[in-house]
Amino acid sequence: MSFKVVTPVETEPVTLAEARLHLKTYDDDAAEDALITAWITAAREMAEQFTGRALATQTLELALDEFPDADDCSSVIQLPMPPVASITSVKYTDLAGAEQTLAGSAYALSLYGDSRRLAPTYGNYWPSTQDVPDAVRVRFVTGYTTAPKAVKAAILLMVGWLEQNRGEGMSTDDIQPQAAKALLGSVKIWSKS
């Protein structure tokens, strides 16, 4: 399972004004504002990687080599990066090699909990696909329209850390500062293993 960003985040969960206030940066400086804006985006992206959630509205596309097997009791497609708001399209490469688009009435998105399960509607089944990479493509809108307060606080802490540690090495495995990691833990999707 792999996915790509189709429409990136347009509105970050933390505004430039909020970050400037947090950093106690009161002077108008276009270069500094550009740097702070980049830190906000970097902090959100890192937080998304850590939590497994889309922390701001964006459009993603999931690619699968085939639909789930209906004989396996669960023909559900688990979508990444919840909370999923809507499905834009479900396209697939049919047995003849032509791209097809499933009718919206053929599938349903679970709106319970994290909203990440896509399944055929009653009486429908996933169609057969040609045996090619990325034969199934699900495009969907996901992300918080208003991020949880813990996420905003964590992003602000991360922006502050980036501002204080310009040019310092940062581990790709770890969120800094640790308080940000603790805050993000409240929304992280924890694996069952």
Side-chain angles (χ1 to χ4, degrees), residues 94-168:
D94 69 14
L95 292 173
E99 181 178 82
Q100 302 292 334
T101 302
L102 277 178
S105 60
Y107 56 84
L109 173 66
S110 169
L111 295 177
Y112 188 78
D114 278 334
S115 308
R116 32 186 314 197
R117 296 175 295 131
L118 184 66
T121 52
Y122 181 76
N124 288 304
Y125 300 91
W126 296 125
S128 297
T129 61
Q130 194 172 68
D131 189 17
V132 295
D134 307 329
V136 176
R137 293 151 319 274
V138 180
R139 191 168 286 194
F140 58 101
V141 177
T142 191
Y144 293 108
T145 53
T146 303
K149 289 180 177 155
V151 168
K152 289 183 75 159
I155 290 172
L156 287 170
L157 288 172
M158 293 166 70
V159 167
W161 188 90
L162 289 166
E163 193 266 342
Q164 290 294 316
N165 296 281
R166 296 178 189 215
E168 295 293 319

Side-chain angles (χ1 to χ4, degrees), residues 5-10 57-60:
V5 176
V6 176
T7 305
V9 169
E10 291 181 17
T57 304
Q58 55 198 285
T59 302
L60 303 178

Side-chain angles (χ1 to χ4, degrees), residues 48-110:
E48 285 179 336
Q49 183 179 10
F50 177 75
T51 63
R53 291 186 181 276
L55 302 177
T57 304
Q58 55 198 285
T59 302
L60 303 178
E61 187 171 87
L62 170 70
L64 304 167
D65 291 340
E66 61 188 352
F67 284 108
D69 187 358
D71 295 336
D72 129 11
C73 289
S74 172
S75 57
V76 171
I77 296 173
Q78 291 286 347
L79 298 171
M81 303 297 287
V84 177
S86 64
I87 304 299
T88 305
S89 65
V90 177
K91 297 184 179 195
Y92 67 99
T93 305
D94 69 14
L95 292 173
E99 181 178 82
Q100 302 292 334
T101 302
L102 277 178
S105 60
Y107 56 84
L109 173 66
S110 169

Side-chain angles (χ1 to χ4, degrees), residues 7-29:
T7 305
V9 169
E10 291 181 17
T11 305
E12 292 290 349
V14 169
T15 66
L16 175 61
E18 290 169 324
R20 289 178 86 217
L21 184 63
H22 177 75
L23 297 172
K24 298 180 180 162
T25 303
Y26 305 112
D27 298 330
D28 285 331
D29 181 344

